[in-house]
Amino acid sequence: MTMKSIILIAVAATTAAAFSPGRKNSVKPIISSSRAAGKTLEAILFDCDGVLADTERDGHRLAFNRAFQLNGIEEDWSEHRYGKLLEVGGGKERMTAHWNEVGWPAAIPEEGRSDKVLELHLQKTDIFMELIDEGAIPLRPGVLRLVDEAIQKGVKLAVCSTSNEKAVRNLVETLMGTDRASRFRIFAGDMVKKKKPAPDVYLMAVDEMGLDKSRCVIIEDSHIGVGAAVAAGISCLVTKSSYTADEDFTGSKKIVDELGDDAASGVTLDTLTLLLD
């Protein structure tokens, strides 16, 4: 018997043994990495503005303009201008960037500018909350459905936003109800040193909630938010909003127009689980 024949016989014997009825787990199916690792979704970390509600155009922008008027500041941000300003994370930072570019109004002298900006932002937040209380800003499609599914399955929930904590908490409680709101942890821009696209607010949530980053999914609506998610090392799904539809979402795992009220076609916990690393 030649050496070639011996090798062929050995290969045939090994193959037959692998497929014998008594041998288990000989051939492993090809499955997604998250399923192969047995990972389950532990937490959903929502952005607020543009994700839970499309607040920027018809909420924050109007609140800024009302605050300007009440303080004798001749400023009225158009939809287009505000869309451009959204490239800057944070309301106080947004005002500062705008006036650094176009010139500061006479109503805000150089001395004490930072204090006046802070005062304007607090006033704007109060006006924004009034808009929420009036029912002027509804939740986006599919938000309540996904939140309810998460609560039912024991998936943890958080909102991680660059906005003021008081405004975020009020939006969640008013638009979702106190029972759902009690299931959320709130992490806001005024709690961290650096706002998005820095990952600080997401890393704070992971640390304080004791989460495994590889079992979390972030839901964002902007390239700034995606940048924060990528920097945090957490999978990200994008639900496009009125101001962000044409942005570059490189780094996100999936992009949708909305979460969707219909579970059959919308984003579900299974959808998010498949995004886990």
Side-chain angles (χ1 to χ4, degrees):
M1 183 178 293
T2 66
M3 180 62 68
K4 182 177 181 180
S5 298
I6 293 172
I7 293 173
L8 289 174
I9 291 171
V11 169
T14 301
T15 303
F19 285 91
S20 64
R23 188 180 183 93
K24 297 181 180 179
N25 301 323
S26 299
V27 181
K28 297 181 180 180
I30 300 175
I31 55 179
S32 68
S33 60
S34 60
R35 288 182 178 176
K39 288 183 179 178
T40 56
L41 183 66
E42 182 180 17
I44 305 173
L45 309 180
F46 290 90
D47 177 39
C48 181
D49 299 310
V51 172
L52 298 182
D54 207 345
T55 53
E56 296 292 6
R57 183 185 61 193
D58 301 321
H60 288 292
R61 183 181 68 88
L62 297 182
F64 273 116
N65 286 339
R66 288 187 190 179
F68 297 153
Q69 292 168 8
L70 291 172
N71 286 271
I73 298 171
E74 295 182 2
E75 192 74 72
D76 188 83
W77 284 344
S78 67
E79 291 183 16
H80 176 75
R81 178 57 179 167
Y82 192 70
K84 182 68 176 176
L85 289 172
L86 287 176
E87 295 177 5
V88 179
K92 296 183 289 293
E93 294 82 357
R94 205 165 290 150
M95 285 186 281
T96 300
H98 169 73
W99 286 319
N100 280 342
E101 178 184 340
V102 305
W104 285 78
I108 307 179
E110 185 172 356
E111 185 177 353
R113 275 181 180 172
S114 59
D115 291 337
K116 185 61 178 178
V117 166
L118 176 59
E119 178 187 331
L120 279 169
H121 192 258
L122 291 173
Q123 189 172 17
K124 167 257 169 186
T125 297
D126 290 338
I127 296 169
F128 175 72
M129 289 194 292
E130 289 173 5
L131 291 172
I132 294 172
D133 292 338
E134 292 167 5
I137 307 171
L139 287 172
R140 292 193 64 191
V143 171
L144 283 185
R145 176 189 56 75
L146 185 59
V147 167
D148 287 342
E149 185 184 3
I151 291 172
Q152 183 182 12
K153 298 295 179 61
V155 175
K156 297 176 182 177
L157 298 167
V159 179
C160 301
S161 173
T162 59
S163 292
N164 175 279
E165 179 189 3
K166 187 178 178 182
V168 175
R169 192 174 300 280
N170 186 53
L171 185 145
V172 173
E173 290 179 354
T174 302
L175 300 186
M176 294 193 192
T178 54
D179 183 56
R180 291 187 184 95
S182 68
R183 310 299 183 97
F184 278 86
R185 292 287 303 274
I186 305 295
F187 301 92
D190 46 6
M191 296 180 175
V192 292
K193 291 183 178 180
K194 295 182 180 179
K195 295 184 179 181
K196 301 174 187 177
D200 298 31
V201 71
Y202 286 121
L203 296 178
M204 173 181 277
V206 168
D207 183 56
E208 293 200 6
M209 295 174 70
L211 303 174
D212 176 353
K213 288 198 296 185
S214 70
R215 295 176 56 207
C216 299
V217 173
I218 289 169
I219 301 182
E220 275 284 357
D221 76 307
S222 70
H223 73 281
I224 289 179
V226 172
V230 171
I234 301 174
S235 297
C236 180
L237 176 140
V238 168
T239 171
K240 295 186 286 187
S241 62
S242 59
Y243 275 122
T244 67
D246 298 323
E247 290 186 0
D248 180 2
F249 300 118
T250 298
S252 64
K253 294 291 188 68
K254 187 176 180 67
I255 303 169
V256 298
D257 291 328
E258 60 180 41
L259 298 178
D261 284 329
D262 183 3
S265 58
V267 173
T268 65
L269 295 188
D270 286 342
T271 307
L272 301 181
T273 300
L274 291 172
L275 304 183
L276 298 178
D277 290 324

